[in-house]
Amino acid sequence: MPTTTPQPGGPTPQLFFQTANAYQQTQALKAAIELDLFTAIAEGNRSVSALGNRCGAAERGVRILADFLTIRGFLTKEGSQYALTPDSEVFLDRRSPAYLGSALGFLHAPKFIEAFQNMTEAVRKGGTVAGEAGTVAPEHPLWVDFASSMIPMMAKPAAEIAELVSRIQPAVKKVLDIAAGHGLFGIEIAKRCPSAEIAAIDWPNVLTVAQQLAHQAGVQQRYRTIAGDAFQKEFGTGYDLVLLTNFLHHFSAATCETLLKKVHRSLAAGGRVITLEFVPNDDRVTPPLVAEFSLIMLATTPEGDAYTFKELEQMFRAAGFTRTELQPLPGSLEQVLVSYR
Amino acid sequence: MPTTTPQPGGPTPQLFFQTANAYQQTQALKAAIELDLFTAIAEGNRSVSALGNRCGAAERGVRILADFLTIRGFLTKEGSQYALTPDSEVFLDRRSPAYLGSALGFLHAPKFIEAFQNMTEAVRKGGTVAGEAGTVAPEHPLWVDFASSMIPMMAKPAAEIAELVSRIQPAVKKVLDIAAGHGLFGIEIAKRCPSAEIAAIDWPNVLTVAQQLAHQAGVQQRYRTIAGDAFQKEFGTGYDLVLLTNFLHHFSAATCETLLKKVHRSLAAGGRVITLEFVPNDDRVTPPLVAEFSLIMLATTPEGDAYTFKELEQMFRAAGFTRTELQPLPGSLEQVLVSYR
């Protein structure tokens, strides 16, 4: 990351200007993805003129954009030749299986951008001003985009959680994936645990993404869906494992407790819940990139938050769980909680 | 500045997500300024509940916003009490003479935001798509806001340049301030050099700001204005000093040369030009915050740029100047060039 020029003492307005202009970073990245600049570099177009030809863009435009992306850590520059950083190779070359460029469709959905444009009002109100329920409104169309967009990003955590689940003895049979979204978490478990049958609950428009993915993975025989709201729909009972990935942060602690009680009732003896969450430290300001997540919940949900481990543990205890363990997820900002019935 | 959580090897999509969401930093800062949160903390409201009362905002909103601002380096947090950093005390407390909050009016002018929203098109075209001439269109209303907004930020460089000018022997008499804007650079010189008479050229709507400031500084007797375009208007001749502060970066090198030839003709024997500019190194990617400035010129002007010292020196030489010296400006991202007739 770029550092500020050392200041010989005295106050400096640089942080103010950097932050006031931070939106420009977002727009530069968006332009590079729209022009497919990263893929063009990966293909071997390393000079301004080659990139201009390949991207259909003016040399002045390409030069200034590529320099900016170098400054921001997406590219390297050697003389007048640009190259991708290792991270950009994996996530920003369109031909890479982990390509993330399409996630901008969700991350920059007009509803999201609008929620942040009304940040002042959201702070006054203490919750989103983007409609009554923000992005947690039933069947909000955002979540279909989200489901598809997040697949490359969630591949690694999903594989790691499946690995963890595959070590559980006796092997898990009945698995409930709450707010399954793209379905990746349940599907990865189905792939690694031949005895596992997955029930995925989500809004019907989102479930089509999960069903497709289950089919592609060849696990559709052990994959069924429950269309509807996780707070309303009957889960059934006898589950060995319930997945709660990236779900609790959308709701208040009281709402989470209500849901967890319902989850508790659905578990078989010896059953457990695996939760994936952004879990800041008790100070709520570290680790920075984890603690920052709260702001998104303020802007886009009525009562959501990034909860500390203490808060999450307390919710699970109040819902009847005997103990909750925290487990870091290598390479991810999120952490896994395992809660035992 | 927040650092990323150390990753145990392997590629990470964090930079992508941070940058895709960077616009949220801008919105959080804007909300804090609109709610006057920094002033509220400076007044002694240090807890979430005191801040909520003072700012008329919900506690959840204030807590999440203040935590975010702590993460981003604007505040400190001790237990549940917030405090301003030294920089925030100087620049973000509304009662401070160096208060910068009002600069958002200019920095976030719809024309600017719109120019960046069309970044992809600007890269394709190689220049702004915000109207034919972008922000350098004659009498663009932005510059009136700009003139007022930049006063707190330019106070220190203006004082330092005036200090430098006050040491010139024999003392400067005739000074021309090109694209004077707020007028601060000429006015500071008038204050420190009793023999100096300032002629300030800018569009008429902008000059009203400079005239007011000259009056407040009590130098109006030695302050005259030339209303019009710096490329069109006659400068007159016999100037000991010409000021070119934050002007050249708006234009192509060829256009700059044309202007510099005109400037050269207006100088007396022994006369010199003082230029204030963002001057990146030859690699165009360091120092980061200086080199980044090019992107703003791409988005908002047809042909502007942040020029290297070599490029600037070449422009001055081509316009007839005998030599150009670079002089760093302590505490500023910009540098001063002194060019001799």
Side-chain angles (χ1 to χ4, degrees), chain A residues 29 38 69-70 72-76 83-85 88 92, chain B residues 15-16 19:
Chain A
L29 175 61
F38 297 107
L69 294 168
T70 303
R72 304 305 311 179
F74 289 95
L75 302 177
T76 58
L84 299 187
T85 62
S88 295
L92 297 173
Chain B
L15 181 64
F16 169 80
T19 308

Side-chain angles (χ1 to χ4, degrees), chain B:
Chain B
M1 263 173 94
T3 54
T4 52
T5 304
Q7 292 303 311
T12 147
Q14 287 177 13
L15 181 64
F16 169 80
F17 282 100
Q18 267 183 281
T19 308
N21 287 341
Y23 75 96
Q24 300 174 356
Q25 298 170 33
T26 303
Q27 297 298 345
L29 175 61
K30 183 163 161 267
I33 284 167
E34 287 179 357
L35 294 163
D36 224 358
L37 185 82
F38 297 106
T39 311
I41 294 172
E43 289 168 354
N45 303 288
R46 301 186 57 196
S47 68
V48 164
S49 71
L51 286 167
N53 280 333
R54 165 64 173 75
C55 299
E59 294 199 4
R60 174 176 179 256
V62 166
R63 169 178 60 81
I64 293 178
L65 179 63
D67 281 345
F68 185 84
L69 295 167
T70 303
I71 295 166
R72 304 305 311 180
F74 289 96
L75 302 176
T76 59
K77 186 181 184 184
E78 196 70 37
S80 59
Q81 304 276 299
Y82 301 95
L84 299 186
T85 62
D87 287 352
S88 295
E89 274 176 31
V90 171
F91 297 109
L92 297 174
D93 176 353
R94 195 179 289 274
R95 305 161 308 172
S96 160
Y99 179 66
L100 268 179
S102 47
L104 289 190
F106 169 72
L107 293 170
H108 295 168
K111 188 89 177 178
F112 254 25
I113 302 287
E114 193 196 313
F116 275 93
Q117 278 166 348
N118 293 312
M119 194 72 215
T120 305
E121 274 316 300
V123 176
R124 283 207 180 101
K125 183 180 173 185
T128 188
V129 289
E132 206 183 313
T135 52
V136 292
E139 308 198 20
H140 196 292
L142 258 188
W143 298 110
V144 181
D145 270 352
F146 177 77
S148 312
S149 298
M150 291 295 110
I151 293 174
M153 195 210 169
M154 286 299 145
K156 207 176 160 198
E160 284 169 351
I161 289 176
E163 174 63 29
L164 193 149
V165 170
S166 72
R167 291 196 300 264
I168 298 174
Q169 286 301 334
V172 298
K173 289 194 180 109
K174 280 188 77 177
V175 177
L176 176 65
D177 189 359
I178 294 181
H182 41 64
L184 211 56
F185 290 97
I187 290 163
E188 280 297 311
I189 290 172
K191 279 162 70 179
R192 300 212 187 191
C193 309
S195 65
E197 305 211 330
I198 319 293
I201 184 163
D202 212 317
W203 293 315
N205 54 351
V206 179
L207 283 173
T208 58
V209 180
Q211 278 165 325
Q212 241 174 21
L213 212 63
H215 211 89
Q216 281 166 26
V219 300
Q220 72 275 19
Q221 304 292 353
R222 293 179 285 124
Y223 201 82
R224 71 183 176 93
T225 57
I226 307 173
D229 186 312
F231 291 91
Q232 311 283 341
K233 270 289 182 186
E234 266 311 309
F235 292 157
T237 55
Y239 291 104
D240 302 310
L241 178 67
V242 173
L243 298 174
L244 269 174
T245 57
N246 291 315
F247 191 54
L248 297 182
H249 56 240
H250 296 99
F251 309 101
S252 71
T255 305
C256 288
E257 262 182 50
T258 305
L259 182 81
L260 292 178
K261 282 177 186 159
K262 191 178 165 193
V263 168
H264 192 265
R265 290 192 298 272
S266 77
L267 283 170
R272 67 191 85 183
V273 176
I274 285 187
T275 306
L276 181 68
E277 271 301 334
F278 292 94
V279 186
N281 297 327
D282 289 340
D283 62 15
R284 290 191 176 279
V285 292
T286 59
L289 298 180
V290 175
E292 272 187 17
F293 186 76
S294 283
L295 191 79
I296 301 182
M297 293 302 101
L298 173 62
T300 64
T301 72
E303 303 182 297
D305 213 335
Y307 293 107
T308 65
F309 178 66
K310 267 189 198 161
E311 289 169 331
L312 289 164
E313 194 194 26
Q314 165 57 28
M315 291 174 206
F316 276 99
R317 203 171 11 193
F321 288 83
T322 54
R323 75 175 199 281
T324 295
E325 293 160 0
L326 191 61
Q327 200 152 345
L329 207 54
S332 170
L333 294 176
E334 294 191 89
Q335 291 184 293
V336 166
L337 281 79
V338 186
S339 308
Y340 298 86
R341 178 167 178 274

Side-chain angles (χ1 to χ4, degrees), chain A:
Chain A
M1 264 175 90
T3 54
T4 51
T5 304
Q7 292 304 310
T12 147
Q14 287 176 12
L15 181 63
F16 169 81
F17 281 100
Q18 268 183 278
T19 308
N21 288 340
Y23 74 97
Q24 300 173 356
Q25 298 171 34
T26 303
Q27 298 297 344
L29 175 61
K30 182 164 162 266
I33 284 167
E34 288 179 357
L35 294 163
D36 223 0
L37 186 80
F38 297 107
T39 311
I41 294 173
E43 289 167 354
N45 302 287
R46 300 185 57 195
S47 69
V48 164
S49 70
L51 287 167
N53 280 334
R54 165 62 174 76
C55 300
E59 294 200 3
R60 173 177 179 255
V62 167
R63 169 179 58 83
I64 293 178
L65 179 62
D67 282 345
F68 185 84
L69 294 168
T70 303
I71 296 167
R72 304 305 311 179
F74 289 95
L75 302 177
T76 58
K77 186 180 184 183
E78 197 69 39
S80 58
Q81 303 277 299
Y82 301 94
L84 299 187
T85 62
D87 286 352
S88 295
E89 273 174 31
V90 172
F91 298 109
L92 297 173
D93 177 352
R94 193 179 290 274
R95 305 162 308 171
S96 161
Y99 180 66
L100 267 179
S102 47
L104 288 190
F106 170 71
L107 292 170
H108 295 168
K111 189 88 177 179
F112 254 25
I113 302 287
E114 193 195 313
F116 275 93
Q117 278 166 347
N118 293 313
M119 194 72 215
T120 305
E121 273 317 301
V123 177
R124 283 207 181 101
K125 183 180 173 186
T128 187
V129 290
E132 206 183 310
T135 53
V136 290
E139 307 196 21
H140 197 292
L142 257 187
W143 297 111
V144 182
D145 270 352
F146 177 78
S148 312
S149 299
M150 290 297 110
I151 292 174
M153 195 210 169
M154 287 299 144
K156 207 177 160 197
E160 283 169 352
I161 288 176
E163 174 61 28
L164 194 148
V165 170
S166 71
R167 290 196 301 265
I168 297 175
Q169 285 303 334
V172 298
K173 289 194 180 110
K174 280 189 74 175
V175 178
L176 176 66
D177 189 359
I178 295 181
H182 40 65
L184 211 56
F185 290 97
I187 291 164
E188 280 298 312
I189 289 172
K191 279 163 68 180
R192 301 211 187 191
C193 309
S195 65
E197 305 212 329
I198 318 294
I201 183 164
D202 211 317
W203 294 315
N205 53 350
V206 179
L207 283 174
T208 57
V209 181
Q211 278 164 325
Q212 242 174 20
L213 213 62
H215 211 89
Q216 281 166 25
V219 299
Q220 72 275 19
Q221 306 290 355
R222 293 179 283 124
Y223 202 82
R224 70 181 178 95
T225 57
I226 307 173
D229 186 311
F231 291 92
Q232 312 282 341
K233 270 287 182 191
E234 265 313 307
F235 292 156
T237 54
Y239 292 104
D240 302 310
L241 178 67
V242 173
L243 298 173
L244 270 174
T245 57
N246 291 316
F247 191 54
L248 297 181
H249 56 240
H250 296 99
F251 309 102
S252 71
T255 304
C256 289
E257 262 182 49
T258 304
L259 182 81
L260 293 179
K261 282 178 188 160
K262 192 177 164 193
V263 168
H264 192 266
R265 290 193 297 272
S266 76
L267 283 171
R272 64 192 86 182
V273 176
I274 286 189
T275 306
L276 180 68
E277 271 301 332
F278 292 95
V279 186
N281 297 327
D282 289 340
D283 62 14
R284 290 190 174 282
V285 292
T286 59
L289 298 180
V290 175
E292 273 186 17
F293 186 75
S294 283
L295 192 79
I296 300 181
M297 292 302 100
L298 174 63
T300 64
T301 72
E303 302 182 297
D305 213 337
Y307 293 106
T308 64
F309 177 66
K310 267 188 199 162
E311 289 169 332
L312 289 164
E313 195 194 26
Q314 165 56 29
M315 291 174 206
F316 276 98
R317 201 168 13 184
F321 289 84
T322 53
R323 74 175 199 279
T324 295
E325 293 160 1
L326 191 62
Q327 201 150 343
L329 207 54
S332 169
L333 294 176
E334 294 192 88
Q335 291 183 293
V336 166
L337 281 79
V338 186
S339 307
Y340 298 85
R341 176 164 179 274

